[in-house]
Amino acid sequence: MAKSKTVFICRSCGHHAHKWVGQCPDCQEWNSHDEELAERISKPSMLVGQAPRPIKDVTVDNFQTTSTGIAELNRVLGGGFVSGSVTLVGGEPGIGKSTLLLQAVAAMSREGKTCLYVSAEESSEQVRLRADRLEAVVDNLWLVSETSLQAVLAHCDSLKPDMVVIDSIQTIHDPDLSSAPGSVGQVRHCAHRLVTEAKRRAMTTVLVGHVTKEGGLAGPRALEHVVDTVLAFEGDRHHALRLLRAVKHRFGATDELGVFEMGGQGLESVSDPSRLFLADRAKGVAGSVVVPVLDGHRPLLVEVQALVAPSTLASPRRSAQGVDNGRLSLIIAVLERRSQIGFAKTDVFTSAIGGVKVSEPAADLGMALALASSVTGHPLDSGLVACGEIGLAGELRQSAQTERRLAEAARVGFTTAVIPAGAPPTPNGIVGLRAETLSEALHLTGMIGSHSGFHAPPRPARRRGPELTGAENDVDWTVVRPLNPPRHD
Ligand code: TYD
Ligand code: MG
């Protein structure tokens, strides 16, 4: 097993090379290979001593889930942790991984499971202080501050816990291994050992892993291959909202989203995120529209805001926070060319409220309406949602699962939906404003046309209206530009 030659291991993805390489052939990262001794990092076999069996003789009784006591975590895991499974929870430092797992083991201990929380980063006293805050000081929950792999396994031998949390895998090391603690070799080796032990003892194991700024698990994508489940914990540290996703799940679907709010007493499950996102919404303000987005399987109603302001810059600013920059540019171009709303001398700021990221094309129409509303100064109806993708020709295209999105809007009390002409029937309580093109949608919502006061497209008209003077609201533009049918440029 022991080989004394050295290998070069990529810090970011765990790729092995026999000689140093400048760029990783696997993940394309530059200067990421560290030299390490190849001893004892060969993969241990995970299931030893099993003979092949006919598939119908394989029983699945072992794969029972244990509720974690946290509704949103259960939702993502498909019911709870499977006994003997290994889960990797990744997230940026400070996002709340330790808090979530301490709450989970406390809830499971309350249900009579013996849980061991191995804190390799903080002292037991620090964890106890946090546990006081989280009301996680319960029977059956054991705490140890330890960084040595052998010591952790020895504690597991004596305590025989049902569940063990290793916080974090990057700070656990095997002193027998010559590479430095935290190196890819150490992290991989320790993770492999813990996976083997978890399977052997049917001990549910959770490994906490820090992610790098770029979003990759620091030390190794390779870990993702050996564990059963990879959960990503995300959120903006300036907001209380936290999102939990399964990136990989051997026991269920990966399209569930868990939503939490970080408060004074730890993380609280948010069962109705749409209401949370819309809680502070100011109604009757121009430049705001609500968009039903789908995150995985879960429909969420998110407010998208736009502010268009005169610019003094030679190349005006385009700011996209929580919305996709590329899509913003596309929508501005389509508004300029197909609906004659100009942005050449204006700064454009757009944002999705609440710390969520809206990158779906389904949010195109909402973003376009918010931009147009900010330009014209006319607020959209506060009971309105918009959902549809915008094509380069200015046409509106249907989004996937429009019914689910609109059902969520109806549930929260919205009454009108601006949707592409071919979209499925709207649910009860929602009136559909159907449009074939963006221009038509802008007319239907009053953003351009007779009542908007906005002199949008300088279209050839039989009789030209007066130039805009600022008193446009008083002008009846129907005389100048017939509203129906709207022109498709
Ligand atoms: P923590 O779980 O330590 O993050 P991680 O393990 O991912 O590094 O949580 C860190 C942040 O959470 C910290 O900045 C304080 C905040 N927090 C609260 O707001 N409320 C709480 O009840 C707790 C325990 C933490
Ligand atoms: Mg932590």
Side-chain angles (χ1 to χ4, degrees), residues 91-100 121-122 130 133-134 167 210 242 262-267:
E92 280 182 33
I95 207 75
K97 302 180 292 298
S98 307
T99 308
L100 176 70
E121 292 183 351
E122 295 165 295
R130 178 181 297 142
R133 238 170 110 175
L134 302 175
D167 189 1
H210 293 297
R242 301 285 183 272
M262 178 67 94
Q265 290 188 320
L267 291 156

mmCIF file with all atom_site columns, all heavy atoms in Angstrom, residues 91-100 121-122 130 133-134 167 210 242 262-267, ligand 1:
data_model
loop_
_atom_site.group_PDB
_atom_site.id
_atom_site.type_symbol
_atom_site.label_atom_id
_atom_site.label_alt_id
_atom_site.label_comp_id
_atom_site.label_asym_id
_atom_site.label_entity_id
_atom_site.label_seq_id
_atom_site.pdbx_PDB_ins_code
_atom_site.Cartn_x
_atom_site.Cartn_y
_atom_site.Cartn_z
_atom_site.occupancy
_atom_site.B_iso_or_equiv
_atom_site.pdbx_formal_charge
_atom_site.auth_seq_id
_atom_site.auth_comp_id
_atom_site.auth_asym_id
_atom_site.auth_atom_id
_atom_site.pdbx_PDB_model_num
ATOM   1   N N   . GLY A 1 91  ? -20.121 25.303 2.104  1.00 0.00 ? 91  GLY A N   1
ATOM   2   C CA  . GLY A 1 91  ? -20.600 26.680 2.145  1.00 0.00 ? 91  GLY A CA  1
ATOM   3   C C   . GLY A 1 91  ? -19.465 27.599 2.535  1.00 0.00 ? 91  GLY A C   1
ATOM   4   O O   . GLY A 1 91  ? -18.451 27.147 3.085  1.00 0.00 ? 91  GLY A O   1
ATOM   5   N N   . GLU A 1 92  ? -19.637 28.863 2.255  1.00 0.00 ? 92  GLU A N   1
ATOM   6   C CA  . GLU A 1 92  ? -18.599 29.835 2.603  1.00 0.00 ? 92  GLU A CA  1
ATOM   7   C C   . GLU A 1 92  ? -18.473 29.950 4.117  1.00 0.00 ? 92  GLU A C   1
ATOM   8   O O   . GLU A 1 92  ? -19.446 29.717 4.837  1.00 0.00 ? 92  GLU A O   1
ATOM   9   C CB  . GLU A 1 92  ? -18.975 31.210 2.043  1.00 0.00 ? 92  GLU A CB  1
ATOM   10  C CG  . GLU A 1 92  ? -18.660 31.355 0.583  1.00 0.00 ? 92  GLU A CG  1
ATOM   11  C CD  . GLU A 1 92  ? -19.016 32.750 0.087  1.00 0.00 ? 92  GLU A CD  1
ATOM   12  O OE1 . GLU A 1 92  ? -18.890 33.702 0.866  1.00 0.00 ? 92  GLU A OE1 1
ATOM   13  O OE2 . GLU A 1 92  ? -19.422 32.848 -1.077 1.00 0.00 ? 92  GLU A OE2 1
ATOM   14  N N   . PRO A 1 93  ? -17.300 30.332 4.603  1.00 0.00 ? 93  PRO A N   1
ATOM   15  C CA  . PRO A 1 93  ? -17.154 30.527 6.043  1.00 0.00 ? 93  PRO A CA  1
ATOM   16  C C   . PRO A 1 93  ? -18.156 31.576 6.537  1.00 0.00 ? 93  PRO A C   1
ATOM   17  O O   . PRO A 1 93  ? -18.388 32.576 5.868  1.00 0.00 ? 93  PRO A O   1
ATOM   18  C CB  . PRO A 1 93  ? -15.720 31.051 6.191  1.00 0.00 ? 93  PRO A CB  1
ATOM   19  C CG  . PRO A 1 93  ? -15.009 30.597 4.962  1.00 0.00 ? 93  PRO A CG  1
ATOM   20  C CD  . PRO A 1 93  ? -16.033 30.558 3.875  1.00 0.00 ? 93  PRO A CD  1
ATOM   21  N N   . GLY A 1 94  ? -18.790 31.294 7.656  1.00 0.00 ? 94  GLY A N   1
ATOM   22  C CA  . GLY A 1 94  ? -19.701 32.261 8.268  1.00 0.00 ? 94  GLY A CA  1
ATOM   23  C C   . GLY A 1 94  ? -21.120 32.199 7.747  1.00 0.00 ? 94  GLY A C   1
ATOM   24  O O   . GLY A 1 94  ? -21.974 32.984 8.167  1.00 0.00 ? 94  GLY A O   1
ATOM   25  N N   . ILE A 1 95  ? -21.406 31.256 6.865  1.00 0.00 ? 95  ILE A N   1
ATOM   26  C CA  . ILE A 1 95  ? -22.741 31.229 6.258  1.00 0.00 ? 95  ILE A CA  1
ATOM   27  C C   . ILE A 1 95  ? -23.747 30.550 7.203  1.00 0.00 ? 95  ILE A C   1
ATOM   28  O O   . ILE A 1 95  ? -24.944 30.806 7.132  1.00 0.00 ? 95  ILE A O   1
ATOM   29  C CB  . ILE A 1 95  ? -22.685 30.539 4.866  1.00 0.00 ? 95  ILE A CB  1
ATOM   30  C CG1 . ILE A 1 95  ? -23.786 31.034 3.970  1.00 0.00 ? 95  ILE A CG1 1
ATOM   31  C CG2 . ILE A 1 95  ? -22.724 29.026 4.956  1.00 0.00 ? 95  ILE A CG2 1
ATOM   32  C CD1 . ILE A 1 95  ? -23.539 32.401 3.443  1.00 0.00 ? 95  ILE A CD1 1
ATOM   33  N N   . GLY A 1 96  ? -23.244 29.695 8.089  1.00 0.00 ? 96  GLY A N   1
ATOM   34  C CA  . GLY A 1 96  ? -24.144 29.054 9.067  1.00 0.00 ? 96  GLY A CA  1
ATOM   35  C C   . GLY A 1 96  ? -24.126 27.536 9.060  1.00 0.00 ? 96  GLY A C   1
ATOM   36  O O   . GLY A 1 96  ? -25.077 26.914 9.540  1.00 0.00 ? 96  GLY A O   1
ATOM   37  N N   . LYS A 1 97  ? -23.063 26.937 8.537  1.00 0.00 ? 97  LYS A N   1
ATOM   38  C CA  . LYS A 1 97  ? -22.994 25.466 8.472  1.00 0.00 ? 97  LYS A CA  1
ATOM   39  C C   . LYS A 1 97  ? -22.984 24.860 9.871  1.00 0.00 ? 97  LYS A C   1
ATOM   40  O O   . LYS A 1 97  ? -23.729 23.927 10.161 1.00 0.00 ? 97  LYS A O   1
ATOM   41  C CB  . LYS A 1 97  ? -21.722 25.018 7.720  1.00 0.00 ? 97  LYS A CB  1
ATOM   42  C CG  . LYS A 1 97  ? -21.620 25.551 6.315  1.00 0.00 ? 97  LYS A CG  1
ATOM   43  C CD  . LYS A 1 97  ? -20.367 25.081 5.631  1.00 0.00 ? 97  LYS A CD  1
ATOM   44  C CE  . LYS A 1 97  ? -19.085 25.649 6.209  1.00 0.00 ? 97  LYS A CE  1
ATOM   45  N NZ  . LYS A 1 97  ? -18.946 27.096 6.128  1.00 0.00 ? 97  LYS A NZ  1
ATOM   46  N N   . SER A 1 98  ? -22.118 25.409 10.753 1.00 0.00 ? 98  SER A N   1
ATOM   47  C CA  . SER A 1 98  ? -22.013 24.856 12.107 1.00 0.00 ? 98  SER A CA  1
ATOM   48  C C   . SER A 1 98  ? -23.343 25.021 12.831 1.00 0.00 ? 98  SER A C   1
ATOM   49  O O   . SER A 1 98  ? -23.783 24.130 13.553 1.00 0.00 ? 98  SER A O   1
ATOM   50  C CB  . SER A 1 98  ? -20.910 25.562 12.878 1.00 0.00 ? 98  SER A CB  1
ATOM   51  O OG  . SER A 1 98  ? -19.714 25.529 12.157 1.00 0.00 ? 98  SER A OG  1
ATOM   52  N N   . THR A 1 99  ? -23.988 26.159 12.616 1.00 0.00 ? 99  THR A N   1
ATOM   53  C CA  . THR A 1 99  ? -25.271 26.433 13.271 1.00 0.00 ? 99  THR A CA  1
ATOM   54  C C   . THR A 1 99  ? -26.318 25.414 12.823 1.00 0.00 ? 99  THR A C   1
ATOM   55  O O   . THR A 1 99  ? -27.003 24.803 13.646 1.00 0.00 ? 99  THR A O   1
ATOM   56  C CB  . THR A 1 99  ? -25.736 27.862 12.921 1.00 0.00 ? 99  THR A CB  1
ATOM   57  O OG1 . THR A 1 99  ? -24.675 28.759 13.199 1.00 0.00 ? 99  THR A OG1 1
ATOM   58  C CG2 . THR A 1 99  ? -26.958 28.260 13.697 1.00 0.00 ? 99  THR A CG2 1
ATOM   59  N N   . LEU A 1 100 ? -26.421 25.204 11.526 1.00 0.00 ? 100 LEU A N   1
ATOM   60  C CA  . LEU A 1 100 ? -27.415 24.272 10.977 1.00 0.00 ? 100 LEU A CA  1
ATOM   61  C C   . LEU A 1 100 ? -27.198 22.870 11.543 1.00 0.00 ? 100 LEU A C   1
ATOM   62  O O   . LEU A 1 100 ? -28.145 22.212 11.978 1.00 0.00 ? 100 LEU A O   1
ATOM   63  C CB  . LEU A 1 100 ? -27.304 24.248 9.439  1.00 0.00 ? 100 LEU A CB  1
ATOM   64  C CG  . LEU A 1 100 ? -28.202 23.258 8.729  1.00 0.00 ? 100 LEU A CG  1
ATOM   65  C CD1 . LEU A 1 100 ? -29.651 23.689 8.825  1.00 0.00 ? 100 LEU A CD1 1
ATOM   66  C CD2 . LEU A 1 100 ? -27.809 23.098 7.261  1.00 0.00 ? 100 LEU A CD2 1
ATOM   67  N N   . GLU A 1 121 ? -12.574 22.990 14.650 1.00 0.00 ? 121 GLU A N   1
ATOM   68  C CA  . GLU A 1 121 ? -12.201 24.392 14.455 1.00 0.00 ? 121 GLU A CA  1
ATOM   69  C C   . GLU A 1 121 ? -12.357 25.198 15.729 1.00 0.00 ? 121 GLU A C   1
ATOM   70  O O   . GLU A 1 121 ? -11.636 26.152 15.965 1.00 0.00 ? 121 GLU A O   1
ATOM   71  C CB  . GLU A 1 121 ? -13.090 25.024 13.369 1.00 0.00 ? 121 GLU A CB  1
ATOM   72  C CG  . GLU A 1 121 ? -12.819 24.464 12.004 1.00 0.00 ? 121 GLU A CG  1
ATOM   73  C CD  . GLU A 1 121 ? -13.638 25.137 10.922 1.00 0.00 ? 121 GLU A CD  1
ATOM   74  O OE1 . GLU A 1 121 ? -14.541 25.922 11.254 1.00 0.00 ? 121 GLU A OE1 1
ATOM   75  O OE2 . GLU A 1 121 ? -13.371 24.843 9.754  1.00 0.00 ? 121 GLU A OE2 1
ATOM   76  N N   . GLU A 1 122 ? -13.362 24.849 16.510 1.00 0.00 ? 122 GLU A N   1
ATOM   77  C CA  . GLU A 1 122 ? -13.662 25.645 17.701 1.00 0.00 ? 122 GLU A CA  1
ATOM   78  C C   . GLU A 1 122 ? -13.514 24.762 18.943 1.00 0.00 ? 122 GLU A C   1
ATOM   79  O O   . GLU A 1 122 ? -13.654 23.545 18.867 1.00 0.00 ? 122 GLU A O   1
ATOM   80  C CB  . GLU A 1 122 ? -15.100 26.171 17.624 1.00 0.00 ? 122 GLU A CB  1
ATOM   81  C CG  . GLU A 1 122 ? -15.316 27.138 16.483 1.00 0.00 ? 122 GLU A CG  1
ATOM   82  C CD  . GLU A 1 122 ? -16.791 27.360 16.185 1.00 0.00 ? 122 GLU A CD  1
ATOM   83  O OE1 . GLU A 1 122 ? -17.465 26.406 15.769 1.00 0.00 ? 122 GLU A OE1 1
ATOM   84  O OE2 . GLU A 1 122 ? -17.251 28.488 16.375 1.00 0.00 ? 122 GLU A OE2 1
ATOM   85  N N   . ARG A 1 130 ? -22.567 28.503 21.758 1.00 0.00 ? 130 ARG A N   1
ATOM   86  C CA  . ARG A 1 130 ? -23.521 28.579 20.656 1.00 0.00 ? 130 ARG A CA  1
ATOM   87  C C   . ARG A 1 130 ? -24.733 27.702 20.939 1.00 0.00 ? 130 ARG A C   1
ATOM   88  O O   . ARG A 1 130 ? -25.871 28.085 20.669 1.00 0.00 ? 130 ARG A O   1
ATOM   89  C CB  . ARG A 1 130 ? -22.846 28.144 19.356 1.00 0.00 ? 130 ARG A CB  1
ATOM   90  C CG  . ARG A 1 130 ? -23.821 28.166 18.199 1.00 0.00 ? 130 ARG A CG  1
ATOM   91  C CD  . ARG A 1 130 ? -23.231 27.716 16.897 1.00 0.00 ? 130 ARG A CD  1
ATOM   92  N NE  . ARG A 1 130 ? -22.166 28.586 16.447 1.00 0.00 ? 130 ARG A NE  1
ATOM   93  C CZ  . ARG A 1 130 ? -21.070 28.132 15.840 1.00 0.00 ? 130 ARG A CZ  1
ATOM   94  N NH1 . ARG A 1 130 ? -20.907 26.860 15.656 1.00 0.00 ? 130 ARG A NH1 1
ATOM   95  N NH2 . ARG A 1 130 ? -20.140 28.971 15.436 1.00 0.00 ? 130 ARG A NH2 1
ATOM   96  N N   . ARG A 1 133 ? -27.320 29.322 22.932 1.00 0.00 ? 133 ARG A N   1
ATOM   97  C CA  . ARG A 1 133 ? -28.141 30.239 22.136 1.00 0.00 ? 133 ARG A CA  1
ATOM   98  C C   . ARG A 1 133 ? -29.188 29.508 21.316 1.00 0.00 ? 133 ARG A C   1
ATOM   99  O O   . ARG A 1 133 ? -30.285 29.997 21.083 1.00 0.00 ? 133 ARG A O   1
ATOM   100 C CB  . ARG A 1 133 ? -27.214 30.966 21.168 1.00 0.00 ? 133 ARG A CB  1
ATOM   101 C CG  . ARG A 1 133 ? -27.247 32.455 21.311 1.00 0.00 ? 133 ARG A CG  1
ATOM   102 C CD  . ARG A 1 133 ? -26.137 33.021 20.508 1.00 0.00 ? 133 ARG A CD  1
ATOM   103 N NE  . ARG A 1 133 ? -26.640 33.735 19.353 1.00 0.00 ? 133 ARG A NE  1
ATOM   104 C CZ  . ARG A 1 133 ? -25.856 34.417 18.541 1.00 0.00 ? 133 ARG A CZ  1
ATOM   105 N NH1 . ARG A 1 133 ? -24.566 34.435 18.736 1.00 0.00 ? 133 ARG A NH1 1
ATOM   106 N NH2 . ARG A 1 133 ? -26.364 35.059 17.533 1.00 0.00 ? 133 ARG A NH2 1
ATOM   107 N N   . LEU A 1 134 ? -28.807 28.315 20.861 1.00 0.00 ? 134 LEU A N   1
ATOM   108 C CA  . LEU A 1 134 ? -29.688 27.569 19.951 1.00 0.00 ? 134 LEU A CA  1
ATOM   109 C C   . LEU A 1 134 ? -30.603 26.603 20.700 1.00 0.00 ? 134 LEU A C   1
ATOM   110 O O   . LEU A 1 134 ? -31.308 25.826 20.073 1.00 0.00 ? 134 LEU A O   1
ATOM   111 C CB  . LEU A 1 134 ? -28.840 26.757 18.957 1.00 0.00 ? 134 LEU A CB  1
ATOM   112 C CG  . LEU A 1 134 ? -27.857 27.546 18.095 1.00 0.00 ? 134 LEU A CG  1
ATOM   113 C CD1 . LEU A 1 134 ? -27.018 26.605 17.267 1.00 0.00 ? 134 LEU A CD1 1
ATOM   114 C CD2 . LEU A 1 134 ? -28.616 28.513 17.196 1.00 0.00 ? 134 LEU A CD2 1
ATOM   115 N N   . ASP A 1 167 ? -16.748 18.832 11.867 1.00 0.00 ? 167 ASP A N   1
ATOM   116 C CA  . ASP A 1 167 ? -16.765 20.254 11.500 1.00 0.00 ? 167 ASP A CA  1
ATOM   117 C C   . ASP A 1 167 ? -15.360 20.830 11.690 1.00 0.00 ? 167 ASP A C   1
ATOM   118 O O   . ASP A 1 167 ? -14.971 21.182 12.777 1.00 0.00 ? 167 ASP A O   1
ATOM   119 C CB  . ASP A 1 167 ? -17.778 20.969 12.401 1.00 0.00 ? 167 ASP A CB  1
ATOM   120 C CG  . ASP A 1 167 ? -18.025 22.403 11.963 1.00 0.00 ? 167 ASP A CG  1
ATOM   121 O OD1 . ASP A 1 167 ? -17.433 22.821 10.967 1.00 0.00 ? 167 ASP A OD1 1
ATOM   122 O OD2 . ASP A 1 167 ? -18.809 23.093 12.648 1.00 0.00 ? 167 ASP A OD2 1
ATOM   123 N N   . HIS A 1 210 ? -15.454 23.763 3.708  1.00 0.00 ? 210 HIS A N   1
ATOM   124 C CA  . HIS A 1 210 ? -15.501 25.176 3.312  1.00 0.00 ? 210 HIS A CA  1
ATOM   125 C C   . HIS A 1 210 ? -15.382 25.283 1.806  1.00 0.00 ? 210 HIS A C   1
ATOM   126 O O   . HIS A 1 210 ? -14.677 24.516 1.184  1.00 0.00 ? 210 HIS A O   1
ATOM   127 C CB  . HIS A 1 210 ? -14.358 25.945 3.959  1.00 0.00 ? 210 HIS A CB  1
ATOM   128 C CG  . HIS A 1 210 ? -14.509 26.042 5.435  1.00 0.00 ? 210 HIS A CG  1
ATOM   129 N ND1 . HIS A 1 210 ? -15.562 26.704 6.008  1.00 0.00 ? 210 HIS A ND1 1
ATOM   130 C CD2 . HIS A 1 210 ? -13.777 25.545 6.437  1.00 0.00 ? 210 HIS A CD2 1
ATOM   131 C CE1 . HIS A 1 210 ? -15.451 26.615 7.315  1.00 0.00 ? 210 HIS A CE1 1
ATOM   132 N NE2 . HIS A 1 210 ? -14.383 25.909 7.609  1.00 0.00 ? 210 HIS A NE2 1
ATOM   133 N N   . ARG A 1 242 ? -30.951 32.177 3.778  1.00 0.00 ? 242 ARG A N   1
ATOM   134 C CA  . ARG A 1 242 ? -29.981 31.123 3.445  1.00 0.00 ? 242 ARG A CA  1
ATOM   135 C C   . ARG A 1 242 ? -30.690 30.069 2.609  1.00 0.00 ? 242 ARG A C   1
ATOM   136 O O   . ARG A 1 242 ? -31.817 29.689 2.917  1.00 0.00 ? 242 ARG A O   1
ATOM   137 C CB  . ARG A 1 242 ? -29.446 30.453 4.707  1.00 0.00 ? 242 ARG A CB  1
ATOM   138 C CG  . ARG A 1 242 ? -28.747 31.384 5.671  1.00 0.00 ? 242 ARG A CG  1
ATOM   139 C CD  . ARG A 1 242 ? -27.364 31.777 5.165  1.00 0.00 ? 242 ARG A CD  1
ATOM   140 N NE  . ARG A 1 242 ? -26.680 32.615 6.113  1.00 0.00 ? 242 ARG A NE  1
ATOM   141 C CZ  . ARG A 1 242 ? -26.771 33.943 6.165  1.00 0.00 ? 242 ARG A CZ  1
ATOM   142 N NH1 . ARG A 1 242 ? -27.555 34.584 5.321  1.00 0.00 ? 242 ARG A NH1 1
ATOM   143 N NH2 . ARG A 1 242 ? -26.094 34.622 7.053  1.00 0.00 ? 242 ARG A NH2 1
ATOM   144 N N   . MET A 1 262 ? -31.651 33.329 9.010  1.00 0.00 ? 262 MET A N   1
ATOM   145 C CA  . MET A 1 262 ? -30.745 33.344 10.166 1.00 0.00 ? 262 MET A CA  1
ATOM   146 C C   . MET A 1 262 ? -31.221 34.421 11.132 1.00 0.00 ? 262 MET A C   1
ATOM   147 O O   . MET A 1 262 ? -31.382 35.583 10.747 1.00 0.00 ? 262 MET A O   1
ATOM   148 C CB  . MET A 1 262 ? -29.322 33.617 9.700  1.00 0.00 ? 262 MET A CB  1
ATOM   149 C CG  . MET A 1 262 ? -28.300 33.707 10.804 1.00 0.00 ? 262 MET A CG  1
ATOM   150 S SD  . MET A 1 262 ? -28.007 32.156 11.667 1.00 0.00 ? 262 MET A SD  1
ATOM   151 C CE  . MET A 1 262 ? -26.598 31.517 10.770 1.00 0.00 ? 262 MET A CE  1
ATOM   152 N N   . GLY A 1 263 ? -31.490 34.009 12.345 1.00 0.00 ? 263 GLY A N   1
ATOM   153 C CA  . GLY A 1 263 ? -31.972 34.982 13.332 1.00 0.00 ? 263 GLY A CA  1
ATOM   154 C C   . GLY A 1 263 ? -31.150 34.905 14.598 1.00 0.00 ? 263 GLY A C   1
ATOM   155 O O   . GLY A 1 263 ? -30.080 34.296 14.626 1.00 0.00 ? 263 GLY A O   1
ATOM   156 N N   . GLY A 1 264 ? -31.641 35.507 15.642 1.00 0.00 ? 264 GLY A N   1
ATOM   157 C CA  . GLY A 1 264 ? -30.929 35.540 16.910 1.00 0.00 ? 264 GLY A CA  1
ATOM   158 C C   . GLY A 1 264 ? -30.798 34.161 17.535 1.00 0.00 ? 264 GLY A C   1
ATOM   159 O O   . GLY A 1 264 ? -29.895 33.904 18.325 1.00 0.00 ? 264 GLY A O   1
ATOM   160 N N   . GLN A 1 265 ? -31.712 33.263 17.198 1.00 0.00 ? 265 GLN A N   1
ATOM   161 C CA  . GLN A 1 265 ? -31.658 31.919 17.766 1.00 0.00 ? 265 GLN A CA  1
ATOM   162 C C   . GLN A 1 265 ? -31.404 30.895 16.686 1.00 0.00 ? 265 GLN A C   1
ATOM   163 O O   . GLN A 1 265 ? -32.062 29.860 16.599 1.00 0.00 ? 265 GLN A O   1
ATOM   164 C CB  . GLN A 1 265 ? -32.951 31.610 18.503 1.00 0.00 ? 265 GLN A CB  1
ATOM   165 C CG  . GLN A 1 265 ? -33.075 32.430 19.773 1.00 0.00 ? 265 GLN A CG  1
ATOM   166 C CD  . GLN A 1 265 ? -34.243 31.982 20.594 1.00 0.00 ? 265 GLN A CD  1
ATOM   167 O OE1 . GLN A 1 265 ? -35.304 31.680 20.052 1.00 0.00 ? 265 GLN A OE1 1
ATOM   168 N NE2 . GLN A 1 265 ? -34.059 31.947 21.896 1.00 0.00 ? 265 GLN A NE2 1
ATOM   169 N N   . GLY A 1 266 ? -30.468 31.220 15.822 1.00 0.00 ? 266 GLY A N   1
ATOM   170 C CA  . GLY A 1 266 ? -30.067 30.262 14.801 1.00 0.00 ? 266 GLY A CA  1
ATOM   171 C C   . GLY A 1 266 ? -30.946 30.307 13.566 1.00 0.00 ? 266 GLY A C   1
ATOM   172 O O   . GLY A 1 266 ? -31.595 31.318 13.287 1.00 0.00 ? 266 GLY A O   1
ATOM   173 N N   . LEU A 1 267 ? -30.954 29.196 12.852 1.00 0.00 ? 267 LEU A N   1
ATOM   174 C CA  . LEU A 1 267 ? -31.657 29.154 11.566 1.00 0.00 ? 267 LEU A CA  1
ATOM   175 C C   . LEU A 1 267 ? -33.092 28.710 11.753 1.00 0.00 ? 267 LEU A C   1
ATOM   176 O O   . LEU A 1 267 ? -33.360 27.740 12.466 1.00 0.00 ? 267 LEU A O   1
ATOM   177 C CB  . LEU A 1 267 ? -30.936 28.175 10.636 1.00 0.00 ? 267 LEU A CB  1
ATOM   178 C CG  . LEU A 1 267 ? -29.564 28.642 10.186 1.00 0.00 ? 267 LEU A CG  1
ATOM   179 C CD1 . LEU A 1 267 ? -28.699 27.465 9.790  1.00 0.00 ? 267 LEU A CD1 1
ATOM   180 C CD2 . LEU A 1 267 ? -29.697 29.608 9.012  1.00 0.00 ? 267 LEU A CD2 1
HETATM 181 P P1  . TYD B 2 .   ? -21.580 29.589 11.651 1.00 0.00 ? 1   TYD B P1  1
HETATM 182 O O1  . TYD B 2 .   ? -22.551 28.489 11.826 1.00 0.00 ? 1   TYD B O1  1
HETATM 183 O O2  . TYD B 2 .   ? -20.428 29.648 12.597 1.00 0.00 ? 1   TYD B O2  1
HETATM 184 O O3  . TYD B 2 .   ? -20.991 29.584 10.156 1.00 0.00 ? 1   TYD B O3  1
HETATM 185 P P2  . TYD B 2 .   ? -20.003 28.547 9.442  1.00 0.00 ? 1   TYD B P2  1
HETATM 186 O O4  . TYD B 2 .   ? -19.927 27.335 10.293 1.00 0.00 ? 1   TYD B O4  1
HETATM 187 O O5  . TYD B 2 .   ? -20.627 28.309 8.115  1.00 0.00 ? 1   TYD B O5  1
HETATM 188 O O6  . TYD B 2 .   ? -18.695 29.219 9.317  1.00 0.00 ? 1   TYD B O6  1
HETATM 189 O O7  . TYD B 2 .   ? -22.436 30.930 11.680 1.00 0.00 ? 1   TYD B O7  1
HETATM 190 C C1  . TYD B 2 .   ? -21.826 32.092 11.555 1.00 0.00 ? 1   TYD B C1  1
HETATM 191 C C2  . TYD B 2 .   ? -22.704 33.301 11.559 1.00 0.00 ? 1   TYD B C2  1
HETATM 192 O O8  . TYD B 2 .   ? -24.046 33.100 11.940 1.00 0.00 ? 1   TYD B O8  1
HETATM 193 C C3  . TYD B 2 .   ? -22.116 34.247 12.527 1.00 0.00 ? 1   TYD B C3  1
HETATM 194 O O9  . TYD B 2 .   ? -21.666 35.351 11.786 1.00 0.00 ? 1   TYD B O9  1
HETATM 195 C C4  . TYD B 2 .   ? -23.175 34.625 13.454 1.00 0.00 ? 1   TYD B C4  1
HETATM 196 C C5  . TYD B 2 .   ? -24.431 34.134 12.818 1.00 0.00 ? 1   TYD B C5  1
HETATM 197 N N1  . TYD B 2 .   ? -25.371 33.616 13.808 1.00 0.00 ? 1   TYD B N1  1
HETATM 198 C C6  . TYD B 2 .   ? -26.565 34.261 14.013 1.00 0.00 ? 1   TYD B C6  1
HETATM 199 O O10 . TYD B 2 .   ? -26.856 35.267 13.375 1.00 0.00 ? 1   TYD B O10 1
HETATM 200 N N2  . TYD B 2 .   ? -27.464 33.748 14.912 1.00 0.00 ? 1   TYD B N2  1
HETATM 201 C C7  . TYD B 2 .   ? -27.183 32.650 15.637 1.00 0.00 ? 1   TYD B C7  1
HETATM 202 O O11 . TYD B 2 .   ? -28.017 32.223 16.454 1.00 0.00 ? 1   TYD B O11 1
HETATM 203 C C8  . TYD B 2 .   ? -25.926 31.995 15.434 1.00 0.00 ? 1   TYD B C8  1
HETATM 204 C C9  . TYD B 2 .   ? -25.565 30.769 16.212 1.00 0.00 ? 1   TYD B C9  1
HETATM 205 C C10 . TYD B 2 .   ? -25.053 32.499 14.512 1.00 0.00 ? 1   TYD B C10 1
#
